[in-house]
C-alpha cells in the first residue's frame, strides 16, 4: 500500500512530469548526430551536473530543497540511463524490443498507455 500522499492524481502527475521530460529530449535528439543511447547517456550526465551546479549556486544553504530537487533529478536521470541500458540489451525487462533511434518514442507511447490504464 502506498503512502497516503500517493494519490492517483499525485502518481499521474509524476508520470506526466516524466513524459514531458521524454518529449523534451525527443525534440533535442532530432538535432544530434549521436546514437540515441549515446544521447541518453550524455543528457543524463549533463542534467545531473547542471542541477547540482545550479542548486549549490542558487540555494547554497537550503539543504532540504536541494535534496528534494536532487531526488527528482535522480529519478529522471535514472529513467534515461535505464532506457540507454535497455538499448544496449535490445529489450526491456518485459522482453519488449528496444531499438536505438526509437526508444524514446517507445517510452512516450508506453507512458501514455500506462496513464490511461493506471489505477491505485
Amino acid at each position: 500500500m502506498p503512502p497516503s500522499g500517493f494519490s492517483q492524481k499525485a502518481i499521474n502527475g509524476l508520470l506526466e512530469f516524466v513524459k514531458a521530460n521524454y518529449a523534451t529530449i525527443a525534440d533535442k535528439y532530432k538535432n544530434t548526430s549521436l546514437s540515441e543511447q549515446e544521447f541518453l547517456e550524455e543528457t543524463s550526465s549533463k542534467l545531473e551536473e547542471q542541477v547540482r551546479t545550479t542548486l549549490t549556486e542558487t540555494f547554497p544553504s537550503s539543504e532540504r530543497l536541494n535534496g528534494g530537487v536532487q531526488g527528482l533529478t535522480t529519478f529522471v536521470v535514472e529513467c534515461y540511463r535505464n532506457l540507454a541500458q535497455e538499448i544496449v540489451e535490445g529489450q526491456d525487462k518485459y522482453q519488449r524490443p528496444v531499438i536505438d533511434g526509437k526508444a524514446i518514442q517507445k517510452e512516450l507511447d508506453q507512458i501514455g498507455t500506462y496513464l490511461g490504464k493506471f489505477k491505485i
Side-chain angles (χ1 to χ4, degrees):
M1 171 151 287
S4 62
F6 283 41
S7 67
Q8 185 73 53
K9 188 174 181 179
I11 298 298
N12 286 2
L14 182 58
L15 290 170
E16 288 289 352
F17 174 77
V18 172
K19 185 178 175 185
N21 276 276
Y22 274 117
T24 299
I25 66 165
D27 289 340
K28 290 182 179 181
Y29 173 64
K30 291 176 188 174
N31 300 318
T32 183
S33 61
L34 297 172
S35 73
E36 198 172 28
Q37 181 224 345
E38 293 168 332
F39 174 76
L40 286 163
E41 290 173 355
E42 184 178 287
T43 299
S44 298
S45 296
K46 284 182 179 178
L47 177 61
E48 217 169 28
E49 181 59 32
Q50 184 178 30
V51 169
R52 183 174 31 257
T53 302
T54 301
L55 286 175
T56 55
E57 290 173 0
T58 309
F59 306 106
S61 60
S62 185
E63 195 171 311
R64 283 186 184 154
L65 176 62
N66 291 349
V69 173
Q70 291 249 351
L72 195 53
T73 302
T74 298
F75 182 84
V76 172
V77 164
E78 289 305 310
C79 287
Y80 295 169
R81 287 185 176 143
N82 180 54
L83 186 56
Q85 185 58 40
E86 288 176 358
I87 292 169
V88 170
E89 294 170 6
Q91 64 183 12
D92 64 17
K93 67 181 182 179
Y94 302 107
Q95 285 75 47
R96 295 176 293 203
V98 180
I99 301 165
D100 196 21
K102 298 183 180 196
I104 295 171
Q105 187 58 52
K106 175 188 99 48
E107 207 68 12
L108 281 165
D109 294 344
Q110 288 175 344
I111 291 169
T113 300
Y114 191 75
L115 275 166
K117 296 177 182 176
F118 180 70
K119 301 286 182 253
I120 290 183

